[in-house]
Amino acid sequence: MEIKESPPWLNEQHPNFARWKKAREISEERGKFVKLIISRFIKCEQLNILELGSGEGGTASVFSANNNFISLDLSLLRLQRQPNTIIKINADANNLPFKYSTFDLIILQDVIEHLTSNNELLHYLSIYLKKEGIIYLSTPNRFSLLNIISDPHFGLPFISILKRNQLKKYFLPLFRKDDSFRNDIAQLLSLKDIKQMSGDYEIILNTKFALLELIKGNNGVLWSSFHIRLLNILLRTGLDKLILKVANDKQSFLNLFLTPTFYLILKRK
């Protein structure tokens, strides 16, 4: 099949190319990190798993050996670049071609912020989740001070707090003209936004675990050069020990306004 996509993430002249390239290079390490979190809640074997917006297929590679793994993405090119050992489906996350109550685990890794109609997505996914199934959801924090200083998608200040229509109207035409046509420009979410979307679920934060993995040197947590530099400063100055003492998995000031990325497990209530 001829793939006619010419995505900006493969354009070496794009200002974000290095950032996207780094994310692709560590996709499997990110998948291992995802598995570490999920394995705290369920045994990661003999599961029916669906990943939405599966990107480079790094997470699929990690999970597919002992599970029935379905990799779903809207981009044919992304699916073509993934390993041939996994099941691939080209479809929309809001129009899934499956039977109800099919999956033990649904993975949404840094994708929900890119969907234009995400308010009802988690409720919609609940009909495809088995009774004891869970959803893994990671997404950048809209109101994190770190993201306000350097947005995770553009590396620029204050972009994280803008809504998608504001980005498309004011920012893209001036600073990212080549992206003006895109409908998947990220609109970041706050913890409040996620709680409103997830009325069917109990939300479990994994901030402290993610921070511990980060300090231990897990290469699948960070790919933003700004955040990596900040981590190195914390390690050199010993401030990481102080942050670990105050780290928690509650709806606290830390998670509302400092935690750069939410790592969440959603369970049925």
Side-chain angles (χ1 to χ4, degrees):
M1 180 185 296
E2 182 183 1
I3 305 296
K4 297 182 179 180
E5 293 182 59
S6 180
W9 43 272
L10 290 180
N11 177 7
E12 295 186 12
Q13 304 306 314
H14 195 287
N16 286 1
F17 178 77
R19 181 182 299 264
W20 291 330
K21 183 172 182 288
K22 175 65 174 177
R24 291 196 298 273
E25 289 172 347
I26 66 166
S27 64
E28 193 162 328
E29 294 300 318
R30 293 173 67 194
K32 293 176 183 177
F33 172 63
V34 170
K35 188 173 183 180
L36 281 176
I37 292 180
I38 293 170
S39 62
R40 303 177 74 206
F41 300 91
I42 57 174
K43 188 176 181 180
C44 294
E45 293 180 0
Q46 306 304 313
L47 301 176
N48 287 330
I49 304 174
L50 170 66
E51 184 179 15
L52 302 178
S54 51
E56 294 296 303
T59 301
S61 297
V62 171
F63 278 90
S64 59
N66 299 308
N67 298 289
N68 177 34
F69 194 102
I70 294 178
S71 171
L72 185 144
D73 205 285
L74 196 58
S75 167
L76 277 170
L77 180 58
R78 284 194 186 278
L79 291 172
Q80 185 187 58
R81 289 163 59 89
Q82 293 178 11
N84 292 324
T85 54
I86 58 177
I87 302 169
K88 308 174 191 178
I89 295 181
N90 179 226
D92 189 326
N94 291 290
N95 188 20
L96 298 178
F98 307 114
K99 294 180 180 180
Y100 296 163
S101 303
T102 299
F103 298 102
D104 302 290
L105 169 64
I106 297 176
I107 298 174
L108 287 161
Q109 184 182 180
D110 299 340
V111 69
I112 195 169
E113 68 272 14
H114 293 280
L115 303 179
T116 55
S117 54
N118 56 19
N119 288 333
E120 300 298 324
L121 178 66
L122 296 176
H123 175 69
Y124 171 64
L125 293 179
S126 67
I127 65 178
Y128 296 98
L129 201 62
K130 292 181 181 179
K131 185 177 180 180
E132 301 301 322
I134 65 172
I135 293 176
Y136 169 84
L137 169 65
S138 63
T139 190
N141 178 4
R142 181 183 184 191
F143 292 131
S144 167
L145 176 62
L146 303 181
N147 291 339
I148 291 173
I149 294 172
S150 178
D151 174 82
H153 296 92
F154 297 99
L156 297 171
F158 305 114
I159 300 298
S160 70
I161 60 175
L162 298 180
K163 294 185 176 181
R164 184 175 290 110
N165 63 340
Q166 295 171 320
L167 285 166
K168 296 190 79 169
K169 184 175 181 180
Y170 302 112
F171 174 72
L172 296 183
L174 292 176
F175 302 102
R176 293 290 191 275
K177 289 182 180 180
D178 291 344
D179 292 337
S180 297
F181 70 94
R182 291 174 55 192
N183 294 320
D184 64 342
I185 294 296
Q187 176 175 299
L188 301 197
L189 303 172
S190 66
L191 192 55
K192 181 180 178 181
D193 293 330
I194 296 169
K195 288 175 71 69
Q196 289 175 342
M197 292 177 179
S198 55
D200 300 315
Y201 307 93
E202 172 193 1
I203 299 177
I204 304 172
L205 282 155
N206 290 272
T207 301
K208 189 155 189 173
F209 178 81
L211 184 57
L212 280 166
E213 285 298 309
L214 182 62
I215 291 172
K216 283 164 54 179
N218 190 313
N219 293 322
V221 186
L222 292 183
W223 64 93
S224 161
S225 58
F226 168 75
H227 289 156
I228 291 171
R229 287 197 301 270
L230 183 60
L231 173 64
N232 290 333
I233 291 171
L234 293 177
L235 293 175
R236 286 199 302 268
T237 58
L239 286 174
D240 56 306
K241 298 178 180 62
L242 174 62
I243 293 174
L244 270 177
K245 285 184 179 180
V246 300
N248 61 75
D249 296 324
K250 302 175 182 179
Q251 189 173 333
S252 60
F253 180 88
L254 174 79
N255 284 313
L256 290 171
F257 302 113
L258 289 177
T259 300
T261 300
F262 299 123
Y263 302 102
L264 308 170
I265 294 292
L266 308 184
K267 290 185 174 182
R268 292 182 185 276
K269 289 182 177 178

